[in-house]
mmCIF file of all heavy atoms in Angstrom:
data_model
loop_
_atom_site.group_PDB
_atom_site.id
_atom_site.type_symbol
_atom_site.label_atom_id
_atom_site.label_comp_id
_atom_site.label_asym_id
_atom_site.label_seq_id
_atom_site.Cartn_x
_atom_site.Cartn_y
_atom_site.Cartn_z
ATOM 1 N N ILE U 1297 36.857 4.561 -16.414
ATOM 2 C CA ILE U 1297 36.195 5.632 -15.688
ATOM 3 C C ILE U 1297 36.665 5.605 -14.234
ATOM 4 O O ILE U 1297 36.489 4.603 -13.537
ATOM 5 C CB ILE U 1297 34.663 5.492 -15.753
ATOM 6 C CG1 ILE U 1297 34.168 5.702 -17.186
ATOM 7 C CG2 ILE U 1297 33.991 6.497 -14.820
ATOM 8 C CD1 ILE U 1297 32.670 5.511 -17.358
ATOM 9 N N ILE U 1298 37.262 6.697 -13.797
ATOM 10 C CA ILE U 1298 37.733 6.810 -12.417
ATOM 11 C C ILE U 1298 36.608 7.266 -11.502
ATOM 12 O O ILE U 1298 36.448 6.780 -10.381
ATOM 13 C CB ILE U 1298 38.914 7.806 -12.307
ATOM 14 C CG1 ILE U 1298 40.024 7.416 -13.295
ATOM 15 C CG2 ILE U 1298 39.438 7.876 -10.874
ATOM 16 C CD1 ILE U 1298 40.622 6.063 -13.061
ATOM 17 N N GLY U 1299 35.801 8.218 -11.980
ATOM 18 C CA GLY U 1299 34.694 8.703 -11.170
ATOM 19 C C GLY U 1299 34.113 9.988 -11.715
ATOM 20 O O GLY U 1299 34.523 10.498 -12.761
ATOM 21 N N LEU U 1300 33.145 10.526 -11.001
ATOM 22 C CA LEU U 1300 32.559 11.826 -11.312
ATOM 23 C C LEU U 1300 33.080 12.817 -10.283
ATOM 24 O O LEU U 1300 33.202 12.476 -9.105
ATOM 25 C CB LEU U 1300 31.038 11.744 -11.244
ATOM 26 C CG LEU U 1300 30.255 12.972 -11.693
ATOM 27 C CD1 LEU U 1300 30.452 13.233 -13.186
ATOM 28 C CD2 LEU U 1300 28.761 12.800 -11.388
ATOM 29 N N ASP U 1301 33.405 14.034 -10.724
ATOM 30 C CA ASP U 1301 34.107 14.990 -9.862
ATOM 31 C C ASP U 1301 33.548 15.077 -8.448
ATOM 32 O O ASP U 1301 34.262 14.920 -7.456
ATOM 33 C CB ASP U 1301 34.151 16.385 -10.508
ATOM 34 C CG ASP U 1301 32.804 16.879 -11.009
ATOM 35 O OD1 ASP U 1301 31.773 16.244 -10.723
ATOM 36 O OD2 ASP U 1301 32.791 17.920 -11.706
ATOM 37 N N ARG U 1302 32.270 15.300 -8.299
ATOM 38 C CA ARG U 1302 31.686 15.539 -6.970
ATOM 39 C C ARG U 1302 31.741 14.322 -6.053
ATOM 40 O O ARG U 1302 31.655 14.453 -4.841
ATOM 41 C CB ARG U 1302 30.237 15.997 -7.111
ATOM 42 C CG ARG U 1302 29.285 14.910 -7.574
ATOM 43 C CD ARG U 1302 27.849 15.360 -7.583
ATOM 44 N NE ARG U 1302 27.556 16.199 -8.729
ATOM 45 C CZ ARG U 1302 26.305 16.534 -9.092
ATOM 46 N NH1 ARG U 1302 25.288 16.124 -8.374
ATOM 47 N NH2 ARG U 1302 26.110 17.281 -10.154
ATOM 48 N N TYR U 1303 31.867 13.112 -6.641
ATOM 49 C CA TYR U 1303 31.909 11.894 -5.839
ATOM 50 C C TYR U 1303 33.327 11.347 -5.663
ATOM 51 O O TYR U 1303 33.537 10.426 -4.877
ATOM 52 C CB TYR U 1303 31.038 10.806 -6.475
ATOM 53 C CG TYR U 1303 29.635 11.232 -6.782
ATOM 54 C CD1 TYR U 1303 29.076 11.002 -8.035
ATOM 55 C CD2 TYR U 1303 28.853 11.882 -5.827
ATOM 56 C CE1 TYR U 1303 27.777 11.395 -8.336
ATOM 57 C CE2 TYR U 1303 27.553 12.279 -6.112
ATOM 58 C CZ TYR U 1303 27.025 12.035 -7.365
ATOM 59 O OH TYR U 1303 25.742 12.430 -7.650
ATOM 60 N N THR U 1304 34.283 11.889 -6.389
ATOM 61 C CA THR U 1304 35.628 11.306 -6.423
ATOM 62 C C THR U 1304 36.694 12.218 -5.820
ATOM 63 O O THR U 1304 37.596 11.747 -5.124
ATOM 64 C CB THR U 1304 36.005 10.977 -7.885
ATOM 65 O OG1 THR U 1304 35.003 10.129 -8.454
ATOM 66 C CG2 THR U 1304 37.355 10.283 -7.959
ATOM 67 N N VAL U 1305 36.603 13.495 -6.097
ATOM 68 C CA VAL U 1305 37.620 14.455 -5.659
ATOM 69 C C VAL U 1305 37.307 14.926 -4.233
ATOM 70 O O VAL U 1305 36.140 15.193 -3.925
ATOM 71 C CB VAL U 1305 37.659 15.665 -6.620
ATOM 72 C CG1 VAL U 1305 38.725 16.662 -6.188
ATOM 73 C CG2 VAL U 1305 37.911 15.189 -8.051
ATOM 74 N N PRO U 1306 38.315 15.023 -3.350
ATOM 75 C CA PRO U 1306 38.075 15.559 -2.002
ATOM 76 C C PRO U 1306 37.371 16.911 -2.054
ATOM 77 O O PRO U 1306 37.688 17.758 -2.896
ATOM 78 C CB PRO U 1306 39.489 15.692 -1.427
ATOM 79 C CG PRO U 1306 40.281 14.645 -2.142
ATOM 80 C CD PRO U 1306 39.729 14.613 -3.539
ATOM 81 N N LYS U 1307 36.395 17.104 -1.182
ATOM 82 C CA LYS U 1307 35.554 18.301 -1.231
ATOM 83 C C LYS U 1307 36.340 19.596 -1.133
ATOM 84 O O LYS U 1307 35.955 20.620 -1.708
ATOM 85 C CB LYS U 1307 34.504 18.238 -0.122
ATOM 86 C CG LYS U 1307 33.453 17.165 -0.339
ATOM 87 C CD LYS U 1307 32.392 17.193 0.752
ATOM 88 C CE LYS U 1307 31.330 16.127 0.502
ATOM 89 N NZ LYS U 1307 30.284 16.136 1.564
ATOM 90 N N GLU U 1308 37.471 19.562 -0.399
ATOM 91 C CA GLU U 1308 38.247 20.791 -0.238
ATOM 92 C C GLU U 1308 38.896 21.249 -1.542
ATOM 93 O O GLU U 1308 39.373 22.383 -1.645
ATOM 94 C CB GLU U 1308 39.315 20.615 0.843
ATOM 95 C CG GLU U 1308 40.329 19.516 0.584
ATOM 96 C CD GLU U 1308 39.941 18.178 1.196
ATOM 97 O OE1 GLU U 1308 38.720 17.950 1.379
ATOM 98 O OE2 GLU U 1308 40.841 17.373 1.478
ATOM 99 N N PHE U 1309 38.937 20.378 -2.547
ATOM 100 C CA PHE U 1309 39.517 20.742 -3.844
ATOM 101 C C PHE U 1309 38.460 21.185 -4.850
ATOM 102 O O PHE U 1309 38.776 21.458 -6.006
ATOM 103 C CB PHE U 1309 40.314 19.576 -4.424
ATOM 104 C CG PHE U 1309 41.467 19.127 -3.563
ATOM 105 C CD1 PHE U 1309 41.953 17.835 -3.650
ATOM 106 C CD2 PHE U 1309 42.065 20.000 -2.659
ATOM 107 C CE1 PHE U 1309 43.016 17.415 -2.857
ATOM 108 C CE2 PHE U 1309 43.128 19.587 -1.864
ATOM 109 C CZ PHE U 1309 43.600 18.293 -1.963
ATOM 110 N N LEU U 1310 37.205 21.221 -4.427
ATOM 111 C CA LEU U 1310 36.113 21.568 -5.328
ATOM 112 C C LEU U 1310 35.582 22.966 -5.034
ATOM 113 O O LEU U 1310 35.671 23.456 -3.920
ATOM 114 C CB LEU U 1310 34.972 20.556 -5.189
ATOM 115 C CG LEU U 1310 35.305 19.085 -5.488
ATOM 116 C CD1 LEU U 1310 34.093 18.205 -5.195
ATOM 117 C CD2 LEU U 1310 35.746 18.911 -6.938
ATOM 118 N N VAL U 1311 35.030 23.586 -6.050
ATOM 119 C CA VAL U 1311 34.383 24.887 -5.915
ATOM 120 C C VAL U 1311 32.928 24.710 -6.330
ATOM 121 O O VAL U 1311 32.638 24.424 -7.488
ATOM 122 C CB VAL U 1311 35.060 25.956 -6.796
ATOM 123 C CG1 VAL U 1311 34.283 27.274 -6.710
ATOM 124 C CG2 VAL U 1311 36.501 26.156 -6.387
ATOM 125 N N GLY U 1312 32.032 24.834 -5.360
ATOM 126 C CA GLY U 1312 30.621 24.593 -5.668
ATOM 127 C C GLY U 1312 30.354 23.169 -6.100
ATOM 128 O O GLY U 1312 29.463 22.921 -6.906
ATOM 129 N N GLY U 1313 31.135 22.234 -5.560
ATOM 130 C CA GLY U 1313 30.960 20.823 -5.909
ATOM 131 C C GLY U 1313 31.568 20.429 -7.234
ATOM 132 O O GLY U 1313 31.371 19.300 -7.698
ATOM 133 N N ARG U 1314 32.338 21.333 -7.851
ATOM 134 C CA ARG U 1314 32.938 21.051 -9.152
ATOM 135 C C ARG U 1314 34.441 21.293 -9.125
ATOM 136 O O ARG U 1314 34.947 22.064 -8.306
ATOM 137 C CB ARG U 1314 32.328 21.952 -10.236
ATOM 138 C CG ARG U 1314 30.817 21.818 -10.404
ATOM 139 C CD ARG U 1314 30.451 20.456 -10.918
ATOM 140 N NE ARG U 1314 29.030 20.336 -11.192
ATOM 141 C CZ ARG U 1314 28.382 19.193 -11.291
ATOM 142 N NH1 ARG U 1314 29.032 18.046 -11.134
ATOM 143 N NH2 ARG U 1314 27.091 19.151 -11.541
#
Side-chain angles (χ1 to χ4, degrees):
I1297 293 177
I1298 306 299
L1300 187 65
D1301 50 9
R1302 71 175 77 168
Y1303 308 130
T1304 305
V1305 181
K1307 291 183 179 180
E1308 60 267 26
F1309 300 155
L1310 301 175
V1311 175
R1314 301 294 185 200

